Amino acid sequence: QMQLVESGGGLVQPGGSLRLSCAVSGFTLDYYAIGWYRQAPGKERVGLLCISTNDAISYYLNSVKGRFTISRDNAKNTVYLQMNSLKPEDAAVYYCAAQRHNCRGGDAVDKWGQGTLITVSS
């Protein structure tokens, strides 16, 4: 059974940094692209960025370019989201999601994680 579990969320001050982890089980991470998405209260879920099986990174949201980056450690079955220079508008529930091989956006996800909450406030 495919499972993705996000961790690392919490409260951070504006301008601060946070690293989220997405631990996967029940499938071989080597064969899956992993994307990060977020959903703010009252808004739709949006894609942020994704890492494919060959480590190519696709950015879905321009406002996170230069601030967010993604990496994967297949040996640890974990994908990371490093977030720097956080802004209040980054506050949301953050989700990781798996899809076979390449990054193809949120409509082609095979499995979602349960999400982790990020609050950006002073």
Side-chain angles (χ1 to χ4, degrees), residues 21-98:
S21 298
C22 173
V24 311
S25 60
F27 63 100
T28 303
L29 181 58
D30 305 56
Y31 303 137
Y32 282 81
I34 301 293
W36 283 96
Y37 301 76
R38 72 185 181 194
Q39 186 169 21
K43 296 188 176 180
E44 292 187 354
R45 184 157 52 190
V46 297
L48 304 177
L49 71 173
C50 176
I51 186 166
S52 68
T53 55
N54 65 358
D55 290 344
I57 297 173
S58 302
Y59 281 90
Y60 299 143
L61 189 66
N62 283 335
S63 63
V64 304
K65 274 186 179 180
R67 299 190 299 125
F68 291 11
T69 190
I70 187 172
S71 61
R72 62 193 295 152
D73 187 337
N74 291 346
K76 293 184 178 180
N77 291 319
T78 303
V79 174
Y80 304 97
L81 176 65
Q82 178 67 43
M83 304 184 292
N84 300 324
S85 303
L86 284 161
K87 306 175 183 180
E89 52 264 40
D90 293 319
V93 177
Y94 282 68
Y95 300 87
C96 59

